[in-house]
Each structure stands twice: as C-alpha cells, then as structure tokens.
Amino acid sequence: MSASAPSDTGLEARPASGGPASATRRPAWHPATVAAVAVETPNARRIDLEVPTWPGNDAGQHLDLRLTAEDGYQASRSYSIASSGDGTRVVLAVDRVDGGEVSPFLVDAVEVGDALEVHGPLGGWFVWRPGASSRPVQLIAGGSGIVPLLAMVTAHATADDPAPFRLLAAVRTPDDVFFRAEVDGAVAAAAPLEVTYVYSRTAPPASAVPAGRLTRDSLASAVFPPDAGARVYVCGSTPFVEQVLRWLGELGHDLTDVRAERFGGNG
Ligand SMILES: Cc1cc2nc3c(=O)[nH]c(=O)nc-3n(C[C@H](O)[C@H](O)[C@H](O)COP(=O)(O)OP(=O)(O)OC[C@H]3O[C@@H](n4cnc5c(N)ncnc54)[C@H](O)[C@@H]3O)c2cc1C
C-alpha cells in the first residue's frame, strides 16, 4: 500500500442549488460501521454503512471513504452513494480494480462490524432532486457507474415523480449487472422508466440483440433524441465517459445539458 491520497476528491466546482435540506448537509467526517455486505456482481460488493451522524444526501452525491490500518496508515477513495434521503444507512457498491490499493480490500476483506470513516456528502452538480423539474432524464452508466444513477432511479420511483426517465447501462455480461432487483423494482412500481442493457461480451439467451460493445448507433437508439430536452447524466470509468460525451456531441446533444462523473482508469 502506498500513502497516496485520492487524486480526485470529488469536490464540485459548481454550487448546489438544492432546497433547505441540501443547504444544511455540510460535508464532514463521520464514523461509520459496516452494517451489511453482499455480492453485487462476481467482481463487486454492495456495502451498507450505518453512519449515525450522516446528514442525508441527494441522489447522485458521493463520499470519501477512509481506511486506517493498525499502524496508523490511512488511505481514502471516493465512492458514489446508491442511496439518498435523510436516513443514516448509506449504501455503496465497490468494483474490484485489480492491483488497486483500496477496492480489493473493500470487495474481498471488509466485514460486518468493521469501523471506517466517511467524509460527505460531496458534490452538488451531479445530483437529481425529485420535483425540481419535469424535464426528461437520461441516465447512462458504464459498469459500476450505475451506483449514483441507481440513487436517482430510486428517488424518482419513491417520489412518484412524473419526469420520464431512461437508463442505459453498459455491462460485460448479465452477471455484471449492478442493482438489477432495485431497477426492476422501480419499473414494477410503474415509474416512468425505460431500461436498456447493452452487453459487450455475453448477452442473455433470450436477447434479441447479440452481445457487442456500445456504439454510437446503439447509444442513439437507446437514449432520448437531442430535441427531447433531456438532462443527461453519464457515469463510469473515465474512458467510458469520454467516449459517450464524444458520441453525444456528434449526435447533436447539447453538452451543457450533460453532467458527467468519472470514476478514473485509463482504459
Ligand atoms: C466521484 C467518484 C465516485 C466513485 N464512485 C465509485 C463507485 O461507486 N464504485 C466504485 O467501484 N468506484 C468508484 N470510484 C472509483 C474509486 O474512487 C477508486 O478509484 C477505485 O475503487 C480504485 O481504487 P483502488 O485504491 O483500488 O485503486 P488505486 O490503487 O487507486 O489504482 C490502481 C490502478 O487502477 C487504476 N484505476 C483507478 N480507478 C479506476 C477505475 N475506477 N477503473 C479502472 N481503473 C482504475 C489507477 O489508475 C491505477 O492504475 C469513484 C471515483 C470517483 C472520483
């Protein structure tokens, strides 16, 4: 382990424009206890934290998670929050980056009852708030990039918000789909939500569309057209986000309506 701090603290340059709850949710360090862990995909784990002093968070925000070793060595990384609202239960999903310092520990070793620290909530730009607008919302996720978008999907369904939502999730295989039950639950709750999965390596047996990487054409056929006036949220590895932004621009989308969260990686 090296003592490097995260290169991206996730702090946003632009201010939040939320209501009173958002205004009082100032970022701070909070002690947290691992309340539950579950396999999310073969390479990722869902981690539920109990954070007694958590002030709540908007859908789309993230936090910094800090681990402290017995010798005092600390390492921290940013993680998006899959939950939102005023509760003290904070849900994360961490994908293992092979050779990484923090994520293999979180995926393979962290146990219920472990103590760690979180700093947040962070980010006032990559957020969606129920009732704020009736504009359509387009969500585009690469792999674990669905984590903050799941918070938006759930907030949208729970609030019975009428804004039409579309979710496009790019994954390798059906086993790599994050939060399938939660997304299916939002659809079953009759939320105005259309979901498209693009499988790059293996498609489900019943799929009419063969496996293949996301392309500009498959992106165009799954997302709201440029004239729909949708607010677009894109999240995933940095190369995935950059590629999607390029395609959206080429397809005529107004990039000032696109908000992006980059998880890192070089492709
Ligand atoms: C705002 C924000 C939110 C994030 N939310 C999530 C989340 O919800 N779930 C999640 O799993 N991760 C998320 N990340 C990524 C996370 O912060 C770490 O970068 C990731 O867990 C790797 O950390 P590590 O210590 O294991 O790897 P490191 O030791 O930091 O890096 C090891 C190597 O892996 C590369 N690398 C780092 N991150 C990635 C990546 N994401 N993909 C591919 N290669 C990478 C590095 O360039 C380096 O070469 C988020 C990042 C940001 C900035």
Side-chain angles (χ1 to χ4, degrees):
M1 303 229 301
S2 73
S4 61
S7 58
D8 180 355
T9 64
L11 291 172
E12 300 281 355
R14 277 164 273 207
S17 57
S22 308
T24 55
R25 289 172 180 162
R26 299 194 186 289
W29 281 103
H30 302 274
T33 306
V34 176
V37 293
V39 172
E40 189 59 40
T41 77
N43 201 49
R45 193 137 77 137
R46 170 183 166 139
I47 301 172
D48 289 29
L49 300 176
E50 182 58 28
V51 190
T53 54
W54 189 249
N57 63 276
D58 286 321
Q61 289 193 288
H62 62 278
L63 51 72
D64 286 345
L65 182 152
R66 183 162 69 192
L67 303 172
T68 304
E70 282 180 10
D71 64 1
Y73 171 71
Q74 295 185 321
S76 65
R77 295 292 184 275
S78 301
Y79 290 100
S80 294
I81 306 168
S83 50
S84 69
D86 291 329
T88 56
R89 187 61 71 101
V90 175
V91 179
L92 311 178
V94 179
D95 212 8
R96 184 191 302 103
V97 172
D98 289 332
E101 184 181 16
V102 171
S103 63
F105 175 80
L106 293 174
V107 175
D108 301 325
V110 90
E111 292 177 359
V112 170
D114 283 354
L116 40 81
E117 294 166 287
V118 294
H119 182 248
L122 299 173
W125 178 245
F126 196 85
V127 298
W128 180 84
R129 298 185 183 96
S133 164
S134 59
R135 291 175 63 180
V137 172
Q138 179 67 56
L139 309 173
I140 304 174
S144 58
I146 199 172
V147 175
L149 308 186
L150 187 270
M152 298 180 192
V153 163
T154 307
H156 175 242
T158 306
D160 210 9
D161 187 285
F165 264 47
R166 284 188 189 178
L167 168 65
L168 168 60
V171 292
R172 290 194 188 98
T173 77
D175 286 344
D176 296 313
V177 173
F178 281 74
F179 297 122
R180 189 190 286 278
E182 289 81 356
V183 171
D184 288 351
V187 173
L193 168 68
E194 290 175 44
V195 182
T196 304
Y197 292 107
V198 174
Y199 301 95
S200 62
R201 290 197 190 155
T202 312
S207 175
V209 183
R213 289 180 72 87
L214 184 67
T215 64
R216 192 176 70 177
D217 287 347
S218 55
L219 177 78
S221 62
V223 303
F224 285 109
D227 61 4
R231 163 69 41 79
V232 184
Y233 296 85
V234 188
C235 187
S237 69
T238 300
F240 174 85
V241 170
E242 296 304 333
Q243 180 65 80
V244 168
L245 292 180
R246 260 194 304 279
W247 284 334
L248 289 172
E250 290 168 9
L251 291 167
H253 289 263
D254 179 357
L255 293 183
T256 62
D257 271 336
V258 181
R259 300 182 179 195
E261 189 90 280
R262 297 165 180 80
F263 279 3
N266 301 314

